[in-house]
């Protein structure tokens, strides 16, 4: 009994002590003691309360597969790790969430609201009582509460940290509008706080991915990342984490990489090997989404630090991704805005530069200089020249190697029918963009492309653009832009800028070409005007386009009156002239505006029509004619009387005229007459000589012309004798004018003599005199042989006779009418003739009355 009572009292004391220990522990647990201290105190309390030297707190390992001792007192080393699934008392208590007492070992679970968090174990030398188990449970509850509180605290701290981080990240990201700075800031934020290394990929306009930043905390990993960056650019649609995130537009978490999952994310064996060296353990890929558009992806990886991404990390990464996307979008907008401004500034500058010169070659050079390096590392300007031949006109290289490029290109003529390249662009008027170009693709429009490609290899070709130069709806050339050393990849937007530059340039080039041509034309016109030959150009439509100064002088027609007119309205009988004109000059008669001219003319066909050069040979021609007229007329006219004189003289010398006095007298008379005729001819010729030498002076006086006419008619009657009737028909008794009576008489005598001479049958000759306000007129009319229409002007020429060989037996020197005209003109009058062949002629002399 006493023993029993004793035992009871001992039990009560032990329980009281245990309760006091629990109370003490509870107090210290709520006063802010750290979790580890609370657990350590709890372990001591258990040892004391149970009087044992073996106590341990187990907590699950990070993979959740085992329970490990975190705090202990005298717990055996070899029992510190227990598999959750094992049959040990610790594992069972943890699993079943119930106290387990096995012999001298008691284990109680540590439970929180969210489930088991560990186990508290105690081992003794004897079996534990139910009170002991209650005590253990109480301590376990206190530990669990402390753990729960600590975890809550940890979460709060973490989320505060995350918020702080995000606030800082948002601030940093929004600090700069510079695209590159923004991306680099982003990488700095991630490493090493959120990852051991990270990758930033962006999506291009065309959907392709572009790796824009790689950053690693470890310099060796940075090197591997750089190699990956060069050799394995991201591929949209592949198994790479970033590609997966992009494809889904959502965050992808890879909590743990296995060799298999790593292999699945790579493109080939080398890629896998490189990734293995990078050794990612856990990764997150976040899609960068702004305003519903996927801009790119951020890939975070833990590697050497051995950490894992939890669900909460994904949330933080996503939030960072959102802020980064907004910052990138802003920087992008700003960049495109800036880019647009730069483009405008560039085009404005281009327009200024292009407008600054009207010199053709200067304009082309300026254009090439504008293009490099803004639009490429080198450029070539092609111009469609005469005969549609494509010429390389300007070459520029940013590194000053234009001469090299020029000489390389010169050795390779362009194939005009090439289906691609410059000829195709010029033919179609459509641009060509080759983002991934090579020397051989650039050489595809020339002869021997391989040779050119190997030469171009030296200066490299990375990307090319070829744009047409179009002005006035005609493609006048093309510009080839080449990206080489810069390794720049031309985009659609570069092509648009190039096209806009080309549109402006084409106008400038066209203007300078027109100006050049105009200048050349002006120079040519100046040259044309300085040459003595008449030059005119008749275009394909028969219109006169050019009429030089000499042409004006020769024809007396101003260029302004001829240009634009049809050649057939300028030249009578143009068709014959046009047909005759060849490269060797021909002499043709031409009637221009009523003027008869002899022209030596040659024509050369050109693309603009036919250019004619002509020389006025009218004077030469007249001289020629004069010569032949002189020979024909005068030689005959002199020979006839000379022969008569000679014949008569011989006869007188050789024959005996005894008793034939009459015959002898006849011969002597003949000699005298023929000698007189010879002397008259010589007189005529001498008179003409005087006339032409200016040695003849008129002696004007007040003259009654009716008297002069009457005297002339009287004298003519005597000369005519029986052969003709000569009549005067004057409208007034007298008419006086101021003139040289002697010369007037000479004219009238001449005309009356001719009328008699050339009227073999008809014998009535009339001299009519009349006058009006301005003129006094003398008309000598006959009814003789008349004169053909074609000869009416020529009869006034010196030595010209219709019938120089006197088949009709009429003598004459051909000087009479010439002298008449010369005298009349000196008297300020005029002479003309009208005639009907076979019906008679009328010569009209008009003298001014004054
Ligand atoms: P010539 O009478 O000495 O031959 P002219 O100069 O007087 O020289 O005349 C030139 C030519 O004009 C003549 O040869 C003649 O053929 C022609 N002619 C001149 N007058 C007449 C006329 N009244 N009737 C016909 N023919 C004429």
């Amino acid at each position: 009994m006493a023993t029993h009572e004793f035992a009871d009292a001992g039990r009560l004391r032990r329980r009281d002590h245990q309760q006091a220990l629990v109370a003490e522990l509870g107090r210290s647990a709520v006063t802010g003691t750290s979790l580890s201290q609370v657990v350590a105190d709890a372990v001591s309390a258990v040892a004391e309360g149970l009087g044992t030297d073996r106590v341990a707190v187990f907590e699950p390992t990070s993979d959740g597969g085992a329970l490990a001792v975190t705090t202990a007192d005298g717990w055996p080393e070899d029992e510190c790790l227990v598999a959750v699934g094992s049959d040990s008392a610790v594992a069972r208590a943890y699993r079943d969430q119930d106290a387990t007492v096995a012999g001298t070992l008691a284990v109680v679970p540590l439970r929180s609201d969210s489930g088991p968090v560990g186990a508290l174990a105690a081992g003794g030398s004897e079996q534990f009582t139910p009170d002991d188990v209650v005590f253990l449970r109480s301590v376990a509850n206190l530990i669990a509460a402390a753990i729960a509180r600590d975890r809550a605290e940890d979460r709060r701290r973490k989320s505060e940290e995350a918020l702080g981080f995000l606030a800082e990240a948002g601030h940093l990201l929004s600090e700069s509008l510079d695209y590159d700075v923004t991306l680099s800031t982003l990488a700095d934020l991630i490493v090493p706080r959120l990852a051991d290394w990270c990758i930033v990929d962006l999506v291009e306009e065309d959907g392709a991915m572009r790796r824009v930043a790689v950053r690693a905390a470890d310099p060796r990993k940075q090197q591997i990342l750089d190699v990956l960056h060069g050799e394995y650019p991201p591929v949209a649609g592949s198994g790479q984490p970033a590609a997966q995130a992009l494809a889904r537009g959502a965050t992808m978490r890879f909590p743990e990489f296995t060799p298999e999952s790593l292999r699945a994310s790579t493109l080939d064996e080398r890629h896998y090997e490189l990734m293995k060296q990078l050794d990612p353990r856990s990764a997150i890929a976040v899609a960068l989404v702004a305003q519903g558009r996927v801009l790119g992806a951020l890939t975070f990886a833990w590697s050497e630090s051995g950490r894992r991404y939890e669900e909460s990390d994904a949330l933080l990464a996503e939030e960072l991704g959102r802020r980064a996307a907004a910052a990138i979008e802003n920087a992008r907008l700003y960049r495109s805005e800036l880019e647009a401004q730069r483009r405008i500034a560039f085009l404005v500058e281009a327009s200024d530069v292009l407008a600054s010169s009207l010199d053709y070659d200067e304009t082309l050079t300026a254009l090439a200089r504008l293009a490099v390096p803004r639009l490429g590392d080198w450029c070539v300007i092609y111009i469609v020249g005469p005969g549609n031949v494509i010429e390389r006109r300007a070459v520029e290289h940013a590194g000053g190697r234009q001469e090299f490029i020029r000489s390389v290109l010169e050795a390779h003529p362009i194939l005009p029918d090439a289906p691609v390249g410059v000829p195709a662009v010029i033919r179609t008027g459509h641009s060509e963009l080759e983002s991934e170009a090579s020397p051989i693709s650039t050489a595809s429009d020339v002869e021997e492309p391989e040779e050119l490609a190997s030469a171009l290899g030296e200066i490299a070709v990375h990307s090319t653009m070829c744009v047409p130069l179009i002005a006035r709806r005609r493609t006048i050339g093309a510009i080839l832009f080449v990206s080489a050393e810069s390794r720049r990849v031309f985009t659609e937007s570069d092509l648009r800028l190039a096209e806009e530059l080309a549109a402006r340039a084409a106008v400038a080039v066209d203007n300078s070409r027109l100006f050049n041509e105009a200048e050349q034309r002006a120079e040519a016109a100046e040259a044309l005007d300085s040459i003595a030959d008449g030059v005119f150009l008749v275009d394909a439509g028969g219109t006169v386009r050019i009429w030089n100064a000499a042409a004006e002088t020769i024809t007396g027609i101003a260029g302004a009156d001829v240009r634009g007119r049809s050649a057939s309205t300028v030249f009578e009988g143009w068709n014959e002239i046009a047909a005759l004109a060849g490269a060797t000059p021909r002499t043709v008669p031409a009637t221009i505006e009523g003027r008869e001219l002899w022209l030596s003319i040659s024509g050369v066909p050109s693309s603009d029509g036919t250019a004619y050069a002509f020389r006025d040979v009218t004077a030469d021609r007249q001289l020629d004619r004069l010569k032949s007229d002189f020979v024909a007329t005068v030689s005959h006219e002199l020979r006839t009387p000379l022969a008569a004189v000679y014949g008569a003289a011989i006869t007188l010398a050789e024959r005996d005229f005894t008793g034939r006095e009459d015959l002898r007298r006849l011969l002597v008379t003949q000699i005298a007459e023929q000698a007189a005729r010879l002397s008259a001819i010589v007189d005529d010729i001498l008179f003409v000589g005087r006339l032409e030498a200016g040695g003849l002076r008129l002696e004007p006086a007040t003259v009654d012309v009716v008297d002069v006419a009457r005297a002339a008619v009287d004298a003519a009657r005597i000369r005519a004798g029986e052969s003709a009737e000569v009549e005067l028909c004057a409208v007034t008794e007298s008419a006086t004018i101021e003139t040289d009576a002697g010369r007037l008489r000479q004219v009238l005598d001449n005309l009356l003599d001719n009328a008699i001479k050339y009227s073999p049958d008809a014998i009535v000759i009339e001299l009519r005199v009349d006058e009006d306000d301005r003129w006094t007129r003398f008309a000598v009319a006959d009814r003789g042989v008349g004169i053909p229409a074609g000869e009416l002007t020529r009869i006034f020429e010196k030595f010209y006779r219709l019938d120089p060989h006197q088949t009709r037996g009429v003598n004459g020197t051909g000087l009479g009418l010439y002298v008449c005209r010369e005298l009349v003109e000196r008297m300020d009058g005029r002479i003309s003739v009208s005639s009907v062949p076979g019906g008679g002629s009328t010569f009209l002399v008009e003298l001014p009355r004054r």
Side-chain angles (χ1 to χ4, degrees):
M1 175 75 191
T3 311
H4 197 98
E5 272 176 14
F6 241 39
D8 273 355
R11 211 191 85 207
L12 282 173
R13 257 201 323 278
R14 184 178 168 97
R15 201 174 63 186
D16 284 349
H17 184 54
Q18 286 174 343
Q19 281 172 351
L21 284 168
V22 168
E24 174 63 24
L25 197 59
R27 261 197 305 281
S28 87
V30 294
T31 52
T33 317
S34 72
L35 175 64
S36 55
Q37 189 60 56
V38 169
V39 175
D41 289 349
V43 168
S44 316
V46 169
E48 191 182 330
L50 294 182
T52 175
D53 54 0
R54 284 194 293 141
V55 184
V57 174
F58 286 84
E59 284 182 51
T61 53
S62 64
D63 61 1
L67 294 164
V69 170
T70 54
T71 313
D73 185 1
W75 197 263
E77 280 284 313
D78 55 346
E79 290 172 29
C80 281
L81 192 67
V82 176
V84 170
S86 74
D87 195 35
S88 82
V90 175
R92 272 189 284 127
Y94 176 75
R95 273 203 316 268
D96 303 343
Q97 293 290 290
D98 205 359
T100 307
V101 181
T104 60
L105 181 68
V107 186
V108 291
L110 300 176
R111 276 183 304 197
S112 76
D113 294 345
S114 55
V117 291
L120 173 64
S125 48
E126 47 193 83
Q127 276 213 332
F128 290 116
T129 63
D131 282 347
D132 292 340
V133 174
V134 168
F135 167 62
L136 261 182
R137 272 210 174 106
S138 302
V139 174
N141 286 343
L142 281 171
I143 295 173
I147 288 177
R149 204 186 58 231
D150 188 69
R151 290 206 173 156
E153 178 63 23
D154 197 44
R155 272 201 300 279
R156 192 189 56 76
R157 206 185 59 244
K158 269 196 180 151
S159 75
E160 245 174 28
E161 252 175 40
L163 283 175
F165 170 70
L166 286 174
E168 189 194 354
H171 180 68
L172 285 173
L173 285 171
S174 62
E175 229 171 24
S176 170
L177 276 173
D178 185 313
Y179 198 59
D180 297 325
V181 170
T182 303
L183 294 172
S184 149
T185 305
L186 183 58
D188 286 341
L189 279 166
I190 295 170
V191 176
R193 250 154 134 172
L194 285 174
D196 290 327
W197 51 263
C198 79
I199 295 173
V200 186
D201 292 309
L202 291 185
V203 183
E204 297 288 353
E205 277 170 49
D206 59 1
M209 289 167 73
R210 189 163 64 90
R211 185 143 297 174
V212 292
V214 288
R215 184 74 45 97
D218 177 348
R220 279 184 306 111
K221 300 239 159 131
Q222 179 71 46
Q223 274 178 4
I224 302 170
L225 276 174
D226 287 339
V227 173
L228 269 173
H229 182 48
E231 289 185 27
Y232 291 94
V235 179
S238 72
Q240 292 163 307
Q244 291 192 40
L246 277 183
R248 302 199 187 173
T251 304
M252 300 293 295
R253 194 159 65 90
F254 305 85
E256 195 115 36
F257 275 108
T258 61
E260 292 71 37
S261 66
L262 191 61
R263 192 179 282 281
S265 74
T266 58
L267 298 170
D268 58 26
E269 193 54 35
R270 173 161 167 78
H271 192 190
Y272 175 64
E273 284 305 320
L274 287 168
M275 284 307 292
K276 245 174 45 184
Q277 290 177 44
L278 268 184
D279 185 27
R281 309 273 172 79
S282 179
I284 301 180
V286 181
L288 295 169
V289 183
Q291 299 182 351
R293 278 198 317 129
V294 182
L295 304 180
L298 289 181
T299 308
F300 308 73
W302 288 126
S303 131
E304 63 273 11
S305 64
R307 293 167 65 178
R308 280 179 81 228
Y309 287 105
E310 306 290 342
E311 195 64 46
S312 60
D313 295 322
L315 293 175
L316 178 61
E318 249 168 29
E319 191 51 44
L320 178 66
R322 260 193 289 280
R323 281 162 208 235
I328 290 172
E329 173 83 347
N330 278 345
R332 210 176 236 188
L333 282 176
Y334 182 72
R335 192 165 76 158
S336 63
E337 176 69 18
L338 213 65
E339 181 59 24
Q341 276 175 18
R342 275 198 210 120
R343 289 165 76 111
I344 291 167
F346 171 64
L347 290 172
V348 167
E349 187 205 333
S351 299
D352 284 352
V353 171
L354 289 168
S356 66
S357 169
L358 269 173
D359 181 274
Y360 190 52
D361 288 315
E362 262 178 34
T363 304
L364 293 179
T365 311
L367 173 57
R369 299 225 167 110
L370 266 172
V372 171
R374 179 69 170 83
L375 272 170
D377 299 316
W378 51 278
C379 89
V380 186
I381 299 174
Y382 297 84
I383 294 294
V384 181
N388 280 340
V389 174
I390 301 173
E391 301 167 357
R392 298 186 183 96
R393 290 298 294 263
V395 182
E396 189 67 30
H397 179 257
R401 301 194 66 191
Q402 50 271 17
E403 283 313 319
F404 171 74
I405 298 174
R406 199 196 309 276
S407 64
V408 164
L409 291 178
E410 249 163 32
H412 296 272
I414 300 166
L415 294 170
D417 299 325
V420 290
V422 176
V425 168
I426 289 177
R427 208 168 38 245
T428 62
H430 295 307
S431 309
E432 276 182 9
L433 167 66
E434 198 142 3
S435 305
E436 302 279 319
S438 62
I440 191 74
S441 69
T442 311
S444 56
D445 57 2
V446 301
E447 285 173 16
E448 296 167 13
E450 288 84 8
E451 224 176 80
L452 176 59
S454 74
L456 287 181
E458 197 185 312
I459 36 167
V461 172
H462 197 70
S463 199
T464 59
M465 302 189 277
C466 187
V467 296
L469 286 166
I470 301 174
R472 292 181 293 150
R473 301 218 196 113
R474 256 178 350 108
T475 306
I476 59 168
I479 318 179
L480 174 70
F481 300 91
V482 180
S483 149
E485 300 88 343
S486 65
R487 300 183 62 81
R488 168 175 169 188
V489 176
F490 289 136
T491 62
E492 286 289 335
S493 125
D494 293 322
L495 185 66
R496 277 195 294 278
L497 182 60
E499 283 172 341
E500 282 188 53
L501 174 67
R504 283 160 174 77
V507 176
V509 170
D510 193 43
N511 279 348
S512 65
R513 172 142 83 176
L514 289 177
F515 183 76
N516 228 25
E517 281 172 6
E519 230 178 16
Q520 275 172 9
R521 268 204 295 272
E523 275 168 20
E526 213 170 277
L528 274 184
D529 279 348
S530 66
I531 62 174
D533 279 357
V535 174
F536 62 96
L537 179 87
V538 177
D539 69 13
T543 304
V544 177
R545 292 293 171 203
I546 292 174
W547 188 262
N548 76 342
E552 288 182 340
T553 315
I554 294 169
T555 61
I557 312 172
D561 297 338
V562 184
R563 281 191 283 269
R565 266 170 64 186
S566 163
S568 57
T569 67
V570 178
F571 297 89
E572 275 171 37
W574 166 248
N575 289 342
E576 285 109 85
I577 298 175
L580 273 174
T584 41
R586 305 280 298 266
T587 300
V588 294
T591 308
I592 304 168
E593 311 259 290
R595 261 181 84 182
E596 278 185 31
L597 291 171
W598 281 87
L599 303 178
S600 164
I601 190 164
S602 60
V604 182
S606 76
S607 57
D608 298 326
T610 305
Y612 294 89
F614 65 93
R615 196 165 283 185
D616 182 8
V617 294
T618 313
D620 303 358
R621 187 80 188 176
Q622 276 168 343
L623 199 63
D624 251 17
R625 224 156 53 181
L626 197 63
K627 260 194 286 178
S628 57
D629 289 350
F630 177 79
V631 171
T633 303
V634 178
S635 64
H636 183 272
E637 208 55 24
L638 291 174
R639 217 183 307 122
T640 313
L642 272 175
V645 169
Y646 181 73
I650 291 289
T651 310
L652 280 173
E654 290 179 353
R655 298 224 339 232
D656 179 9
F657 286 93
T658 322
R660 301 284 308 272
E661 185 58 26
D662 54 336
L663 187 58
R664 194 190 62 86
R665 200 170 289 132
L666 185 74
L667 285 170
V668 171
T669 309
Q670 203 174 17
I671 289 173
E673 272 178 2
Q674 292 304 327
R677 189 176 152 201
L678 277 171
S679 114
I681 291 169
V682 173
D683 278 351
D684 277 357
I685 293 172
L686 289 176
F687 182 74
V688 167
R690 248 176 85 203
L691 204 60
E692 287 177 352
L696 183 81
R697 290 259 288 286
L698 294 183
E699 284 159 20
T702 306
V703 176
D704 184 340
V705 293
V706 179
D707 283 348
V708 178
R710 190 173 297 119
V713 168
D714 289 344
R717 267 189 201 129
I718 294 166
R719 287 198 300 279
E722 295 294 305
S723 69
E725 250 180 62
V726 186
E727 282 168 12
L728 174 70
C729 176
V731 290
T732 53
E733 273 301 300
S734 76
T736 52
I737 58 169
E738 206 58 26
T739 192
D740 184 327
R743 297 302 161 202
L744 173 59
R745 173 67 192 276
Q746 193 181 346
V747 170
L748 295 179
D749 283 352
N750 235 317
L751 295 177
L752 288 167
D753 277 352
N754 278 353
I756 296 163
K757 271 200 305 193
Y758 300 107
S759 302
D761 311 316
I763 35 157
V764 181
I765 286 146
E766 201 177 46
L767 169 56
R768 290 191 292 268
V769 182
D770 66 34
E771 61 181 356
D772 64 16
D773 294 348
R774 294 180 61 198
W775 303 98
T776 299
R777 291 192 192 85
F778 308 86
V780 178
D782 64 57
R783 293 184 203 144
V785 295
I787 303 155
E791 306 284 349
L792 289 175
T793 46
R794 292 211 60 197
I795 53 171
F796 289 97
E797 286 172 16
K798 212 163 39 170
F799 299 118
Y800 186 75
R801 305 196 71 214
L802 279 189
D803 183 18
H805 304 292
Q806 300 182 0
T807 45
R808 293 171 198 243
V810 181
N811 295 327
T813 56
L815 289 174
L817 287 178
Y818 170 73
V819 168
C820 286
R821 191 186 69 188
E822 292 298 307
L823 290 177
V824 170
E825 279 178 4
R826 279 170 175 73
M827 290 150 88
D828 297 326
R830 54 196 191 193
I831 184 166
S832 58
V833 62
S834 57
S835 179
V836 177
S841 313
T842 301
F843 286 83
L844 178 67
V845 172
E846 296 169 290
L847 297 179
R849 295 193 63 196
R850 252 188 305 262

